[in-house]
Amino acid sequence: MFRGNTAAMFALIVLGLIMLCAILGPWIYPTDPFDMVWAPFSPPGVDGFLLGTDYLGRDLLAALIHGSRVSIVIGLAAASVSIVIGVTVGALAGFYLGWVEELLMRITEFFQVLPTLLFSMVIVALFGASLPMITLAIGVVSWTAVARVTRSEFLRIRELEYVMASRASGATNSKLMFRVILPNALPPIIVQAALMVGSAILFEAGLSFLGLTDPNVVSWGQVIGSNRQYILDASYTVTIPGLAIFVTVLCISLVGDGLNDALNPKLRSR
Amino acid sequence: MKYSIKGIVASVALSAVMATGVIAEGHKTGGTLVTVLGSNVRNLNSAVQSGIVTGYPGAQLFASPMRYDENWEPQPYLAESWNVSDDGLTVTLNLVKNAKFHDGAPITSEDIAFSVEVIKANHPFKSMFAPVESVDTPDAHTAVLNLSKPHPALMLAMSGQLMSIIPKHIYGDGEITDVKTHPRNNENVVGSGPFKLVEFKNGEHVILERFDDFFIEGRPYLDRVVMRIITDPAARAIAYENGEIHMGAFESLPRIINRLKKVDTLTVTPDGYGAIGPIDWLAMNTAKGPLSDVRVRKAIAYAVDKNFIHKALMQGTASDSTSGIHPDSPFYVAQDGYDVDLEKSAVLLDEAGFPVKDGSRMSLTIDFGWPGVKPQVEYVKAALKKVNIDVEVRASADFPTWAKKMGTGDFDMSWDTVFNWGDPVIGVHRTYDSTNILKGVWSNTQSYSNARVDELMAMAAVETDIEKRKALYTEFQEIIADELPVYHTNTLPYHTVFNDKVKNAPMGIWGTSTPIDTVWLDE
């Protein structure tokens, strides 16, 4: 089971700490990440700044702590958006079959063949780089995998005997879909969702690296993006937030893997 | 060890000689000079296209009536002499007799008249030739420009890349306004300058070759000029370092400039950009909200630490700029700066009626048009927070989006860079003239309006006495620095980079927007 998976358990603890930091950070470390508090390019550990300062003399630790909120919130919100879209599309397609499935799957394929980063860049460039828009842009381009997983689960489960039994006893379509089939289709969707959070964080980092971000909000990717031209002068300004993204995404993946092992009946140890 | 130290001493001595512009006796001829362009070229015909990227090939392909030395003195070029009438209303150009276009046809006064007409109709800098009503051509080598009013700015407008003489028999085959899109702007170009076009592949290179019948005997010294197009500054830096490129201009990134300065074989100099005159500033919309109060604008100037911008952001590569005119210009008069003073700033804001309420006096927005100036914008946000002004940074998806915000006055503050382009009439007036509050970027986007400033500019535009003109611009600069429609922070640190094989690198006033017929290679 999950608790037996040491890597996943460890990752879960680290993730918990990061979440705690995101939630409580601004109270523990109230320095505004946009304030110039010291001389520019003061290296980590010198002059009392644990992670040093950037090219304007802003505290990197503050940027990291305050940025964790934005990165994680965007990760969670964008993953939710893609789950909602993906599950709805996949459930309808897998349940109704026929022309509904045809239509929805063609739409899914349409979104699947679009280069995702490019498409989200277009959305952000067109509608402005605000946090909700960035979240939506990431959600809109990454729901296709969820839709396909949901549909395949629905296709399998809808033919099972207990679904037949419910149908025979007069359950409505919506009841069949959301009360009977969906709960049984959830395990792979949950795993997919966990991985989605990680990739959404990466996505946000990519967009802000390219400058497509709300410049008034600090996020890890934004810190990397704005410091990248100083990589030769002060490499820590880029590597530290880079490590933060790396660790977070890795932990999310490990937890996702652990969930997969725990929820997959075929791998379940007896 | 001893030998290598000697070598270093020798190379230092040599570069010192070069930096002072002392030319060793004689020069070598021949060779291929490999240079670089920092972005793609839309149009090689500098008579219809402005900008520094067109300026470099444009000034090699096409000659102008005059050229300027590094002391801002006009020198004969296509015009061997000229005469301005006492009332300032006619300017007579006497052309050199042996000048030919690249197809062998003689360059005549007809071509001068035609070129003026084309530039007037197509070039974005309308103020250059607006007072020129007609051009008379009494004989093949005399052109008389008739002006509606005295126009001292005409002198600089007849040099550099601003007045390219193009052949009437090639470009005059359609409507005057069609020259803007003439197919021979970019291929089979027939020019009047020291080099002729061999090949232009956009995104790759422009290759030029010596024009043997050039009207100055023995010039140009080089056989070929290759202009490689490399848009990435870091890639250009590597190419300078490993000697792939002999020379390049308009390098403006502080980190790259400082890195290249450390390379022994390279000379990196900010000299030679006075007439291009690029200056950076914080634009403030004087027509909207709190910024319409001059006390608020001054408070902002007192809160923004120029010293920080110079040291931390420009890393010592830029010069101070205080008045709207580039510091290298003969008209520049340095103004008292606004040394950072947060108390004074707070007092001014209180006086203007913006007390601190809930930790904030007001909320403003700041825009930027290209990613390179994002640090400046972020700095202004952080600096103004110290005087309790909340600043929201607004990103624009692309340059046109930003340009539209500027043109429609939909901004509080913005970072901006504007070029002087020689005479103040051409590149300075546009920012402060109340009749130039237009929808386009780089007009008077701040909606600044001051009757005295308008009057001073109008007088200076027609004043032929240089001392009187200087006096007018002195008062103009004092008012601008006091009323702050824009807060001048620094020059854009354009630098020319060349290795020690290149002699006579262009260090006049026009950067590389000037003929490089005297450049030679020592190899």
Side-chain angles (χ1 to χ4, degrees), chain B residues 300 303-304 379-389 391 413:
Chain B
I300 287 173
V304 171
Y379 168 68
V380 172
K381 177 187 167 90
L384 294 190
K385 207 186 158 199
K386 292 184 181 164
V387 289
N388 303 91
I389 298 177
V391 176
M413 295 181 285

Side-chain angles (χ1 to χ4, degrees), chain B residues 372-484:
Chain B
V373 293
K374 194 167 165 237
Q376 276 87 330
V377 169
E378 288 181 321
Y379 168 68
V380 172
K381 177 187 167 90
L384 294 190
K385 207 186 158 199
K386 292 184 181 164
V387 289
N388 303 91
I389 298 177
D390 289 329
V391 176
E392 184 202 344
V393 178
R394 298 195 304 176
S396 296
D398 50 20
F399 183 83
T401 314
W402 171 79
K404 193 180 165 213
K405 283 185 202 162
M406 297 299 286
T408 52
D410 171 28
F411 73 101
D412 292 332
M413 295 181 285
S414 177
W415 204 263
D416 204 350
T417 303
V418 178
F419 291 25
N420 273 187
W421 288 114
D423 195 276
V425 168
I426 305 169
V428 177
H429 288 199
R430 55 181 172 168
T431 310
Y432 311 97
D433 185 345
S434 71
T435 62
N436 196 38
I437 302 174
L438 306 174
K439 296 286 173 220
V441 70
W442 299 322
S443 59
N444 183 353
T445 47
Q446 289 69 245
S447 303
Y448 177 65
S449 171
N450 178 323
R452 179 63 185 159
V453 167
D454 286 347
E455 191 186 11
L456 285 168
M457 289 190 296
M459 288 195 290
V462 297
E463 179 56 66
T464 46
D465 183 284
I466 182 81
E467 290 310 320
K468 284 184 189 156
R469 209 167 171 229
K470 273 185 183 166
L472 293 168
Y473 279 124
T474 304
E475 189 185 341
F476 162 83
Q477 291 174 79
E478 281 162 4
I479 299 177
I480 295 301
D482 184 54
E483 298 203 332
L484 291 175

